Amino acid sequence: MQTTPNDYAIIRPSDADGGYENSRSDLWLLSALPDPIVAFDPDAAMIVHANAAACRLFGWNDAAQRPLADLVLDTGADTLLNDLRRASVLRRETHVTTKGQLFSVESQRCGSDVARSMIVTIWRGGPSQTTLTPQGDDFVATVSHELRTPLTSVKGALGLALSGAAGPITDKTRSLLDIAHRNVGRLMLLVNDILDLEKMSSGHMAFDMNRADLRDTVAFACEANSTFADEFGVTLDCQIPSEPAMVIFDADRMHQVMTNLISNACKFSHPDGTVRVKLDRKADGAFEISVTDHGIGIPSKAVSSVFDRFNQAGSVHRNRSGSTGLGLAIVKTIIEEHGGTIALSSIEGVGTTVTVAIAPDKADCINRTSKV
Amino acid sequence: MIKLLHVEDDSDIREIALLALQMSDTFIIQQCEDGPSALKCAVEFAPDVLLLDVMMPHMTGPELLTRLRQEPTLSHVPAIFMTARVQMAERRALMDQGAVAVIAKPFDPITLADEIKLAMRPATA
């Protein structure tokens, strides 16, 4: 449930005496919420209420009438109060507790009468969602290393055996080694995709956003995937406009998106087919990249779930294509991190088009880490 | 023949790399299991190229390269990192350390020798 402090009109200034009276039912509701919530009187600089989650977080038995200083934020109380002089301001900050728990803290003045209003802070994140421990950022790297090291040995050993480096092999043995080699490659892709998703969901995937020409990325992706297309007997038709397409984006991640979309289109095309990759500018100014194949298409009932992890539409073809079932979920996340949109249309037996739209020059998304 | 110093903590990967490089008949190979042992043998071996794993106990590949660079005879030997962390930012960071190439794991044993020779070309040209 997404909420803002204004959703909690829980503790109100009393019309009668200017103090605060609490509704029992509202307090019960507050206590049931999993996010820590703390309300304080800005004039008296005193905490007037904290729900059960907040008491657990701060180790308080009773929050009432504690000084505001007990609510330890990275910014001091004076800064907080100064920022929230006006009721319309919603203040967001990131706070790391002494235990290394990462919280996103939202604070807002509640109440129409500023003289008798209070400030409510909501703490999101914490141990159940994101923990910024000293090891946190290393987790993905460690798992990545621990999983990939044995896979490197297995893949390398199978590759050497298949090459005949260890002596001649029979056709039957080769056939079995081929299966093992192919599937260890598939396992490797799966590990990579899972690690990407883990990085994204834990907020550890960095996006290196820079203003650049999207035409270069699209053209490079077509060039880089031409050999892959050849393996499927597919021709890539890359249509790039003559006008620059300047956008703020992470070129590596966008290349990953393009590679995924183009490789999917190739895998599900018929031999001798054509995959069209087109970059265009829409009437609203956004840039649109479409990847169209004329292959097997997707059943209409499965189209809505294609961006889900391990979606059922993909599972039918996963063995044949070597797909992990995670690629489109990753692509969607990357595009959304760029403030863009992605859509897929498909007709079974006719083909599929995936369309990505990115607005030009979104200056508010430069160099940040993902948070999904 | 090209003298190659390979530093890798995983014994299986060392064996596969050794087999792969021996197939090409162009390398004299010295293998070490970690940074400290590589520091001991590097000067005497006088390699033409360094092939270094990145994540190793005791001393990482980049740390090892920094130490090796302090030896006057090794200060300009081309270095190639092998790593499972293949994001572009990490690749760039390794190249900034002075590597001539970064080979992703799992590597292809059939093309490993060619990749190394190709990477050495700018440095030897």
Side-chain angles (χ1 to χ4, degrees):
Chain A
M1 179 170 62
Q2 285 297 304
T3 51
T4 68
N6 261 344
D7 294 334
Y8 299 97
I10 306 298
I11 309 169
R12 295 176 289 266
S14 159
D15 288 339
D17 56 16
Y20 300 109
E21 69 181 20
N22 303 331
S23 152
R24 280 184 188 174
S25 59
D26 287 349
L27 287 178
W28 176 86
L29 180 63
L30 262 186
S31 295
L33 290 172
D35 292 332
I37 297 170
V38 179
F40 62 90
D41 177 345
D43 297 323
M46 297 293 287
I47 293 168
V48 294
H49 184 77
N51 70 352
C55 288
R56 280 196 300 275
L57 174 63
F58 298 111
W60 298 338
N61 289 324
D62 181 8
Q65 300 308 307
R66 281 179 173 274
L68 179 56
D70 283 5
L71 184 67
V72 182
L73 282 166
D74 290 341
T75 50
D78 289 345
T79 307
L80 181 67
L81 293 173
N82 192 46
D83 287 353
L84 295 173
R85 274 175 302 179
R86 287 180 294 113
S88 59
V89 175
L90 174 64
R91 191 178 192 284
R92 288 194 179 93
E93 66 183 290
T94 301
H95 179 80
V96 183
T97 69
T98 52
K99 293 178 181 174
Q101 297 166 357
L102 177 70
F103 284 91
S104 168
V105 185
E106 287 185 357
S107 308
Q108 190 168 27
R109 188 182 283 266
C110 297
S112 54
D113 182 351
V114 171
R116 291 188 295 175
S117 62
M118 69 173 56
I119 291 174
V120 176
T121 66
I122 302 174
W123 298 57
R124 292 206 182 84
S128 62
Q129 295 174 38
T130 303
T131 302
L132 198 68
T133 63
Q135 296 82 25
D137 205 18
D138 290 339
F139 175 76
V140 172
T142 303
V143 171
S144 164
H145 181 260
E146 296 305 317
L147 288 174
R148 282 178 174 135
T149 296
L151 284 173
T152 298
S153 298
V154 174
K155 196 166 193 293
L158 290 168
L160 280 173
L162 278 166
S163 75
I169 51 175
T170 64
D171 287 347
K172 260 189 181 170
T173 305
R174 175 177 297 281
S175 172
L176 292 170
L177 289 176
D178 266 335
I179 292 170
H181 193 241
R182 196 166 55 244
N183 279 279
V184 81
R186 192 174 155 194
L187 191 56
M188 200 76 201
L189 291 176
L190 195 57
V191 167
N192 291 343
D193 281 357
I194 288 171
L195 290 170
D196 266 355
L197 282 174
E198 165 57 27
K199 279 184 193 169
M200 289 172 182
S201 61
S202 64
H204 290 131
M205 177 168 280
F207 283 83
D208 186 13
M209 299 289 202
N210 291 293
R211 190 169 190 267
D213 196 335
L214 202 50
R215 294 181 304 168
D216 296 338
T217 298
V218 174
F220 177 61
C222 288
E223 187 185 329
N225 285 283
S226 60
T227 307
F228 184 83
D230 287 345
E231 289 176 22
F232 290 84
V234 171
T235 303
L236 290 183
D237 173 19
C238 195
Q239 299 182 9
I240 308 281
S242 56
E243 293 296 309
M246 302 308 291
V247 180
I248 292 175
F249 65 105
D250 181 326
D252 293 338
R253 289 290 161 203
M254 199 58 79
H255 181 76
Q256 182 179 355
V257 166
M258 293 306 302
T259 294
N260 185 287
L261 299 183
I262 293 171
S263 63
N264 273 351
C266 292
K267 286 175 197 169
F268 297 117
S269 285
H270 301 298
D272 299 325
T274 297
V275 168
R276 190 192 67 197
V277 181
K278 187 177 181 184
L279 172 62
D280 217 346
R281 189 154 202 180
K282 292 177 10 181
D284 64 1
F287 290 101
E288 190 175 87
I289 305 166
S290 60
V291 179
T292 302
D293 69 64
H294 305 286
I296 59 176
I298 300 169
S300 56
K301 63 181 180 185
V303 167
S304 62
S305 64
V306 289
F307 294 109
D308 295 347
R309 299 175 186 190
F310 299 114
N311 67 82
Q312 290 304 303
S315 68
V316 176
H317 304 291
R318 218 169 280 148
N319 274 335
R320 172 189 139 174
S321 67
S323 301
T324 64
L326 294 170
L328 282 177
I330 293 169
V331 161
K332 184 169 185 280
T333 304
I334 292 172
I335 294 302
E336 287 174 350
E337 286 291 310
H338 282 76
T341 59
I342 184 165
L344 181 146
S345 62
S346 186
I347 300 173
E348 192 171 13
V350 176
T352 301
T353 295
V354 182
T355 307
V356 169
I358 304 277
D361 289 7
K362 285 199 123 185
D364 61 344
C365 56
I366 293 178
N367 291 331
R368 60 196 166 76
T369 301
S370 72
K371 200 88 194 149
V372 292
Chain B
M1 296 289 273
I2 299 167
K3 292 173 78 174
L4 180 144
L5 176 62
H6 180 210
V7 189
E8 164 66 62
D9 64 306
D10 189 281
S11 59
D12 289 340
I13 295 178
R14 279 202 307 274
E15 188 174 342
I16 288 163
L18 184 64
L19 280 167
L21 294 173
Q22 284 173 340
M23 284 166 60
S24 79
D25 276 338
T26 50
F27 291 97
I28 299 168
I29 303 148
Q30 169 79 51
Q31 291 187 308
C32 297
E33 64 181 7
D34 57 19
S37 60
L39 284 171
K40 283 179 189 166
C41 77
V43 172
E44 190 180 338
F45 180 63
D48 300 311
V49 61
L50 304 165
L51 182 60
L52 310 176
D53 184 28
V54 172
M55 287 178 77
M56 293 186 288
H58 313 306
M59 191 184 291
T60 66
E63 287 168 348
L64 172 61
L65 182 59
T66 302
R67 296 282 298 275
L68 291 172
R69 290 283 187 241
Q70 290 166 2
E71 292 289 342
T73 55
L74 301 173
S75 62
H76 293 96
V77 175
I80 299 166
F81 283 116
M82 291 184 96
T83 181
R85 302 187 71 177
V86 288
Q87 280 197 27
M88 288 304 284
E90 291 150 353
R91 185 182 288 265
R92 272 197 294 268
L94 291 170
M95 296 297 279
D96 288 345
Q97 291 261 339
V100 294
V102 178
I103 295 177
K105 288 181 181 176
F107 56 87
D108 182 348
I110 311 303
T111 60
L112 180 63
D114 288 339
E115 279 192 76
I116 292 169
K117 283 186 276 188
L118 189 67
M120 289 177 69
R121 206 171 283 167
T124 53

